[in-house]
Amino acid sequence: MAKSNKPIVWGLFAAGGTVTAFITPVLVLLTLLPVVGVMPELLVYDNLHAFAGHWVGKLLLFGVIFLVLWHAAHRLRITLHDFGVRADSAVAVIVYLAAAAGTLAAAYFLLRI
Amino acid sequence: MSERIVELEVLRFNPETDAEPRFQRYSVPCMNEWVVLDALNHVKEAIDPTLSYRWSCHMAVCGSCGMMINGEPKLACKAFLRAYDGVIRVEPLANFPIQRDLVTVIDDFITKLKRVKPYLVPKSDQPVEAGEFRQTPAELKRYKQYTLCINCMLCYAACPEYALVPKFIGPAAISLAHRYNEDSRDGGREERQQEIASGEGVWECSFVGACSEVCPEHVDPAGALQQVKIRSTVDWYQEHLMPWSKK
Amino acid sequence: MSANGKPYIREVSRYRWYFSSPRYLRYMAREVTCVFIGLHALILLVALRRLSEGRDAWEAFLQNLTGPAGVLLQLVILVFAVYHSTSWFNVTPKAMPVQVGENFLPGGVIIGAHYAAWLAVTLAVLFLAGAF
């Protein structure tokens, strides 16, 4: 039998899963802090704009969004199959295209900052 | 030695007379220290000789008495009656066709096991005079846990992906392939990859982890499969992005 | 249907199989985290867009995010995100066992190292973002 090409999508899924495990909770925490009266300086417009304006910041933000989106897209594909949706090829095309579109959008917004 | 009456509810099926399986209730006088297999043996000897099931060693080595006990894949010889209250429901191993009563058709597993070459494929032919293939304790330990697999198929009964996608090669066969791949004396990895890195191989696994939870020998097939995924991913990038690195 | 002499095949419901064992429900809970992780990635995308649209757009966005609906959504995301993190780190010794000399490192050491790194990353991000 031929070897599968799944490693492409699985590799991104695993990398994204690791990234999101480390940072998604703290990113949510960051935007929740203002509710309890703590305003992280980074969330002030000028600071965040400067961060996303620097190429290091751009690269970080792009990498995170890219990997996390792929992680979510791939796991969603598996999850839909687990819920009984059998049109796996169609699901795969849709979720990966959505992740790719999100990734491109992230690049576009970042380049406009 | 104390005795109690255990209510067994056993799934019966006779392909010659039954359109579908049905439960049959037995009241079995049991010793406290008995296992479910002892209770079944008592039924067979004293109550109903028509009951069919597989067993051999009665000591969790042969791997033939796997069955669903209260919905959980177990070796009947390792399932102590004292761990259960009330009626104990005994069914044939899930995800396999029922041949008769508690006996299942296991051809699918045997075929898959053969496909992954679960034996040493020496790197080179060597005359007997050249001596043994030697191995350090560390090299042995690398794959030792996987050698404990007794082919009881409890992991297949626990695996929902095998239930949903029957072509999936499945936990035990892939972890046995991994056992030989991890063996320093072996040179057959590339041949096994043709099977286990295919669409029917490790990529059908979504890491539910149930296989490792039910393994009576504490093998960790789920871990083996994740390691195979990682290694296969590295392979893929090497083959496609660095074709010159071909071993 | 009548007896046909053939083995009997028990059908597994492809829509309801995960109700048959608590371990399958735990698994499905882990898989469903992807919906909320994905949702958070979309929030990040919207954040970038608002940021690129200027000060007013960004401040309005932040206002929304810290309103009742935004907070509720984020709390739900946080719960699923933490469940993802713990379920991810807890299986690292299976996927990446480490053999030192003859023996494998105990799983707890590998998991512990991941939790320590997680804590360090969390504190570092909070510190660098000026939350202290």
Side-chain angles (χ1 to χ4, degrees):
Chain A
M1 293 192 81
K3 288 199 216 169
S4 167
N5 284 322
K6 283 263 176 73
I8 321 172
V9 283
W10 189 83
L12 289 171
F13 160 78
T18 306
V19 167
T20 194
F22 276 113
I23 68 153
T24 299
V26 67
L27 289 184
V28 179
L29 218 52
L30 218 51
T31 46
L32 274 175
L33 280 177
V35 181
V36 291
V38 181
M39 182 67 181
E41 285 162 35
L42 183 67
L43 295 189
V44 175
Y45 177 77
D46 293 320
N47 296 337
L48 191 58
H49 198 269
F51 174 72
H54 194 276
W55 64 270
V56 174
K58 279 193 207 302
L59 220 56
L60 276 174
L61 288 167
F62 178 77
V64 165
I65 291 181
F66 167 57
L67 287 174
V68 172
L69 267 178
W70 275 93
H71 166 81
H74 181 72
R75 192 167 250 182
L76 187 62
R77 173 186 176 187
I78 309 289
T79 305
L80 287 173
H81 187 268
D82 285 338
F83 275 117
V85 180
R86 284 300 161 83
D88 183 57
S89 312
V91 168
V93 169
I94 294 168
V95 297
Y96 296 140
L97 270 183
T103 304
L104 285 177
Y108 174 72
F109 297 138
L110 279 167
L111 290 175
R112 291 202 332 170
I113 293 171
Chain B
M1 297 244 274
S2 57
E3 202 176 284
R4 73 164 164 141
I5 301 293
V6 169
E7 296 290 320
L8 281 189
E9 210 167 59
V10 182
L11 198 69
R12 303 292 312 270
F13 174 69
N14 180 345
E16 311 302 334
T17 57
D18 301 339
E20 49 187 42
R22 70 204 145 75
F23 280 103
Q24 184 166 348
R25 185 75 84 90
Y26 299 103
S27 298
V28 195
C30 294
M31 293 297 172
N32 237 347
E33 57 275 20
W34 276 11
V35 290
V36 170
L37 181 58
D38 295 316
L40 289 172
N41 284 341
H42 185 82
V43 170
K44 177 109 180 159
E45 282 158 20
I47 305 174
D48 182 352
T50 67
L51 181 64
S52 298
Y53 52 96
R54 287 196 184 102
W55 73 286
S56 176
C57 76
H58 200 289
M59 47 193 272
V61 173
C62 75
S64 44
C65 68
M67 43 191 85
M68 308 300 287
I69 298 174
N70 282 354
E72 185 78 0
K74 294 267 187 198
L75 294 180
C77 68
K78 232 188 145 191
F80 283 90
L81 292 173
R82 59 173 173 260
Y84 299 92
D85 296 323
V87 182
I88 302 176
R89 192 169 254 226
V90 185
E91 297 164 81
L93 218 44
N95 300 340
F96 292 95
I98 306 176
Q99 186 113 50
R100 176 185 293 265
D101 296 343
L102 299 172
V103 177
T104 52
V105 183
I106 59 173
D107 303 26
D108 184 55
F109 170 67
I110 302 296
T111 311
K112 286 167 175 169
L113 190 59
K114 284 183 189 156
R115 273 170 62 190
V116 304
K117 305 194 181 192
Y119 41 81
L120 271 185
V121 178
K123 286 176 185 140
S124 58
D125 280 334
Q126 198 168 298
V128 177
E129 306 81 67
E132 312 86 340
F133 291 99
R134 304 189 73 179
Q135 199 162 46
T136 67
E139 285 168 336
L140 170 67
K141 204 134 198 182
R142 203 172 157 73
Y143 63 82
K144 180 122 195 283
Q145 66 139 318
Y146 305 114
T147 67
L148 302 178
C149 173
I150 56 174
N151 300 340
C152 66
M153 293 164 284
L154 296 197
C155 51
Y156 284 77
C159 176
E161 300 304 329
Y162 176 61
L164 298 172
V165 185
K167 69 178 167 78
F168 175 35
I169 295 173
I174 297 180
S175 41
L176 280 167
H178 186 60
R179 173 251 175 274
Y180 288 97
N181 287 345
E182 292 291 282
D183 193 314
S184 59
R185 302 163 296 178
D186 181 80
R189 178 163 178 269
E190 198 43 48
E191 293 168 45
R192 291 187 200 99
Q193 284 296 100
Q194 298 301 327
E195 298 293 338
I196 66 174
S198 76
E200 300 182 359
V202 74
W203 303 112
E204 284 301 334
C205 164
S206 57
F207 204 176
V208 179
C211 49
S212 301
E213 287 175 34
V214 302
C215 179
E217 304 298 318
H218 307 290
V219 179
D220 182 10
L225 269 72
Q226 305 325 301
Q227 293 165 39
V228 171
K229 285 183 197 172
I230 294 175
R231 293 272 311 265
S232 303
T233 301
V234 173
D235 280 355
W236 191 92
Y237 280 102
Q238 277 183 349
E239 283 163 21
H240 290 82
L241 302 182
M242 306 186 294
W244 60 88
S245 76
K246 195 104 181 134
K247 301 140 280 203
Chain C
M1 209 166 69
S2 63
N4 58 11
K6 288 195 184 127
Y8 183 84
I9 295 171
R10 290 162 287 178
E11 295 296 335
V12 175
S13 163
R14 70 189 232 211
Y15 301 110
R16 291 185 310 277
W17 62 269
Y18 43 88
F19 290 115
S20 64
S21 160
R23 66 166 68 92
Y24 298 152
L25 285 172
R26 275 199 301 280
Y27 160 75
M28 287 303 255
R30 184 193 85 189
E31 294 302 282
V32 165
T33 58
C34 74
V35 172
F36 299 91
I37 298 287
L39 214 54
H40 186 253
L42 291 182
I43 291 177
L44 290 182
L45 257 185
V46 175
L48 283 187
R49 179 173 171 184
R50 294 289 176 249
L51 187 67
S52 74
E53 286 168 354
R55 184 184 306 274
D56 292 346
W58 169 254
E59 276 163 8
F61 168 75
L62 204 56
Q63 198 88 55
N64 264 332
L65 207 55
T66 48
V71 170
L72 191 67
L73 177 64
Q74 289 188 88
L75 284 176
V76 175
I77 289 176
L78 186 61
V79 170
F80 279 94
V82 168
Y83 188 65
H84 167 79
S85 302
T86 52
S87 62
W88 194 268
F89 295 140
N90 289 347
V91 296
T92 44
K94 288 174 178 279
M96 301 179 293
V98 180
Q99 195 178 14
V100 180
E102 200 175 308
N103 294 307
F104 282 94
L105 277 185
V109 173
I110 298 174
I111 297 172
H114 277 89
Y115 275 89
W118 184 24
L119 182 69
V121 168
T122 301
L123 292 176
V125 169
L126 288 176
F127 175 74
L128 291 171
F132 298 132

